[in-house]
Amino acid sequence: MKTTERETKYLNDATPVHLAKRGRVAKILRIGILVLAIVLVLLSFLALALPRFRVREVAVEGASFYRPDEIISASGIRAEDPVLEVDIDRSIQNILAKCRYIKSVSISVHLSGRVVISLEEETCLLYTERDGRYYSFSDSLKIIEEADEPFADFLFVELPHDVTLQTGRAIQFRDSAVFAKSILIPLVNWLENGAFAEHLTAVSLEKERKISFELDGKCKVILGEYRELDKKEKWLKEILADGIPQSPCTIDLSGKNPIKSS
């Protein structure tokens, strides 16, 4: 049976196409085999090398309230631990559970053996008292810790009686105490950034119209309502131009004119 001219032309045109397809398939297979071989070599290398990668150094960043060694101990990460066995999530939870004054934690682990623990601590640490018990809290207004003694390094704040204090929960302000919730932290920040910040020892928000604070534990300054703070600070600077008195005194800035009394 003879091949027609048209069939011959079709076969001649089709042959290079099939050859080209087979060539591409073969090329893809060769590349795939090469990639697979490289992956197997890398896996073999890692299987032998990774056990040798161990924790050589643990660095702590952002710690001021706690010592670095306290953070490292709380994390559970130890020198010579295999790098790939460091459980970051568990270490973070350990730190947050044992170090209450830390707000957030992040941990990075490097194959070089260096582990970095980065912290964000609670800020504006304060404490209050209720029925002989002392409660610390921060600018988040969440009670951090309860103790039977004052927190010596924190600023004391006298809160209204109509509040509920419970460790691990935000302070609940009800009824007559609601005013304190919105002005507490702004007031403390204003005082701690003011001219007498180094002498500030206590703040009282027991009553809305009798807000006050103490300097050096013996000079009581009555602000009255939470308003016209710049004017009141100017008065206070004028009255205490010669320094804070050594004997107890009261300075009333709540009226139209400041009054100082012993």
Side-chain angles (χ1 to χ4, degrees):
M1 182 176 182
K2 295 182 179 179
T3 305
T4 65
E5 183 179 349
R6 178 179 296 179
E7 290 173 337
T8 302
K9 183 177 184 303
Y10 173 78
L11 291 173
N12 290 336
D13 292 342
T15 300
V17 175
H18 289 297
L19 291 175
K21 287 183 177 180
R22 286 199 294 270
R24 285 198 296 271
V25 171
K27 185 178 181 180
I28 292 172
L29 286 175
R30 287 196 298 271
I31 293 174
I33 292 171
L34 178 61
V35 171
L36 180 60
I38 293 173
V39 170
L40 290 174
V41 170
L42 288 175
L43 289 176
S44 299
F45 170 77
L46 291 175
L48 294 172
L50 286 180
R52 300 176 183 273
F53 293 146
R54 296 186 176 275
V55 175
R56 305 298 181 191
E57 175 193 5
V58 182
V60 178
E61 298 177 347
S64 60
F65 190 84
Y66 295 97
R67 300 190 311 273
D69 61 292
E70 291 179 299
I71 300 299
I72 295 171
S73 176
S75 73
I77 301 173
R78 298 171 297 180
E80 297 304 317
D81 281 349
V83 167
L84 292 186
E85 292 184 12
V86 174
D87 190 330
I88 293 177
D89 290 337
R90 185 175 65 182
S91 295
I92 289 175
Q93 292 305 315
N94 287 344
I95 294 172
L96 292 175
K98 297 176 181 179
C99 304
R100 298 180 181 181
Y101 295 93
I102 292 177
K103 186 182 297 184
S104 65
V105 184
S106 65
I107 299 176
S108 59
V109 181
H110 307 273
L111 289 179
S112 63
R114 189 169 191 265
V115 178
V116 180
I117 303 175
S118 300
L119 310 174
E120 181 185 359
E121 297 181 327
E122 295 281 2
T123 55
C124 191
L125 295 175
L126 313 166
Y127 80 98
T128 192
E129 181 270 339
R130 182 60 48 84
D131 299 327
R133 301 292 294 171
Y134 298 88
Y135 302 83
S136 65
F137 61 99
S138 66
D139 51 7
S140 66
L141 298 183
K142 185 179 79 172
I143 299 296
I144 300 173
E145 188 177 5
E146 180 181 349
D148 54 9
E149 294 182 355
F151 295 85
D153 297 328
F154 301 170
L155 176 66
F156 176 74
V157 176
E158 184 179 23
L159 294 175
H161 293 294
D162 199 12
V163 298
T164 300
L165 307 173
Q166 185 175 345
T167 304
R169 300 188 63 179
I171 301 172
Q172 296 182 28
F173 297 83
R174 295 194 300 269
D175 302 334
S176 62
V178 173
F179 78 94
K181 183 177 182 179
S182 60
I183 69 171
L184 171 55
I185 299 305
L187 174 62
V188 170
N189 287 335
W190 177 74
L191 291 169
E192 291 188 335
N193 287 290
F196 301 94
E198 295 182 359
H199 302 276
L200 184 65
T201 52
V203 178
S204 175
L205 286 87
E206 184 182 5
K207 297 181 180 180
E208 185 174 6
R209 297 180 183 278
K210 292 186 178 181
I211 297 170
S212 65
F213 60 92
E214 287 185 358
L215 301 175
D216 290 345
K218 55 179 174 285
C219 180
K220 182 177 182 180
V221 180
I222 301 174
L223 292 174
E225 295 183 64
Y226 182 71
R227 62 186 181 88
E228 299 181 313
L229 297 183
D230 291 340
K231 181 179 74 173
K232 293 172 182 178
E233 183 179 42
K234 181 180 178 181
W235 284 347
L236 187 60
K237 287 180 180 178
E238 293 173 352
I239 295 172
L240 300 179
D242 296 327
I244 299 173
Q246 296 300 310
S247 57
C249 68
T250 298
I251 300 173
D252 190 346
L253 307 176
S254 62
K256 295 183 179 180
N257 297 295
I259 301 172
K260 179 182 176 182
S261 59
S262 300

